[in-house]
Amino acid sequence: MEAHPVRSSDSPDSTGQQHRTHSETTDRGQSARRRSKSADEIADAYADVADDLARWRRLDELFAGRYRRRQFEGATGRVLDVACGTGRNFRYLPSSSEVVGVDISDAVLAHARTELDRLDLDGSVRRMDAQALEFPDDSFDTVVSSFSTCTFPDPVAALREMERVCAPDGEILLLEHGRSDAAPLAWLQDRRAESHYEKTGCRLDHDPLATVERAGLAVEHTRTALFGLVTAVDAVPR
């Protein structure tokens, strides 16, 4: 991840730009706060597209597979996949791991069960709200989740639950999408954000790193790809 120096300037143009940037950021934040589907609404949205998501497995492997592999192939021990969907991450987890997948949608979990069987993995799936995980503290060696904080009604609560159920010496591995750092792509995301959320429950313009920081996780490493559209986060419980 490239670091950028912080610059300051007292020029009127710079000050005006800072004010405009702050205003744009605030507007996006207020827009995100206005959009708040319930967990049941999210489940309904994914029930409508569960079969399509399963059929798009090969397409996902083509475009996201390398990022999933890089982020999750090092998972160890008992692994919890939060918001596992149709089981897209399962094939990239070590075959020696015990996998538990949870999701709010029964429709996608049906496909996740099929994926476990197809891969002959030691694991199970359960319907569960990521914001209230039904596991004791320190239950898993590794917690993984992909492209999920954009859909949780309260992503900070979900991340804190991931931290709670992760062993003190364990890892939390996230693969997320967010607002691009390329202006033309960011403009398109902002333009589509409201309608996309209403249709799918997914926030195109969210900032995954800011969400992780608000949750208080201890971030050890981050990587970005595809003009900032994809962000990988390695974190540990505090």
Side-chain angles (χ1 to χ4, degrees):
M1 184 176 180
E2 185 178 358
H4 300 278
V6 177
R7 298 179 181 177
S8 62
S9 172
D10 293 327
S11 69
D13 287 347
S14 175
T15 302
Q17 179 63 42
Q18 290 170 4
H19 287 168
R20 286 193 298 274
T21 301
H22 175 72
S23 177
E24 290 166 359
T25 302
T26 301
D27 289 345
R28 285 200 304 273
Q30 289 173 344
S31 178
R33 284 191 292 272
R34 286 197 298 270
R35 302 194 299 268
S36 184
K37 287 182 180 288
S38 69
D40 287 340
E41 288 174 319
I42 298 296
D44 290 342
Y46 277 88
D48 292 339
V49 297
D51 292 342
D52 290 334
L53 291 174
R55 283 194 292 269
W56 295 338
R57 178 166 57 88
R58 295 296 184 190
L59 192 63
D60 180 85
E61 291 172 10
L62 178 64
F63 287 99
R66 58 180 168 169
Y67 303 117
R68 294 182 193 272
R69 184 181 303 280
R70 185 182 302 165
Q71 185 65 358
F72 301 134
E73 65 182 355
T76 59
R78 191 174 188 228
V79 179
L80 174 66
D81 188 348
V82 178
C84 67
T86 59
R88 294 278 174 82
N89 295 329
F90 293 167
R91 67 172 299 173
Y92 304 106
L93 297 171
S95 58
S96 59
S97 297
E98 176 193 353
V99 182
V100 179
V102 300
D103 201 282
I104 196 66
S105 169
D106 287 320
V108 298
L109 285 175
H111 292 288
R113 290 188 185 93
T114 300
E115 185 72 355
L116 278 179
D117 293 340
R118 188 181 72 82
L119 296 170
D120 196 25
L121 283 177
D122 177 16
S124 61
V125 297
R126 295 175 57 182
R127 187 183 192 279
M128 199 174 296
D129 185 345
Q131 299 163 164
L133 295 173
E134 299 166 19
F135 300 110
D137 296 356
D138 310 333
S139 295
F140 296 91
D141 302 296
T142 310
V143 179
V144 306
S145 192
S146 63
F147 308 119
S148 61
T149 57
C150 57
T151 61
F152 296 139
D154 187 345
V156 169
L159 287 170
R160 287 175 178 166
E161 278 291 271
M162 294 183 207
E163 180 183 42
R164 180 184 65 78
V165 302
C166 186
D169 58 350
E171 279 190 304
I172 302 166
L173 305 177
L174 307 173
L175 184 66
E176 300 293 342
H177 76 76
R179 190 172 186 268
S180 174
D181 51 24
L185 288 175
W187 179 83
L188 287 172
Q189 288 176 288
D190 292 343
R191 184 183 176 95
R192 293 276 301 158
E194 291 286 352
S195 61
H196 187 74
Y197 184 81
E198 287 304 316
K199 182 177 180 180
T200 68
C202 169
R203 299 178 182 89
L204 282 177
D205 56 351
H206 89 298
D207 183 341
L209 281 177
T211 302
V212 170
E213 290 170 0
R214 289 201 307 274
L217 274 62
V219 176
E220 294 197 320
H221 187 65
T222 66
R223 296 181 301 277
T224 60
L226 287 177
F227 305 102
L229 291 172
V230 176
T231 299
V233 180
D234 302 351
V236 296
R238 286 195 182 275

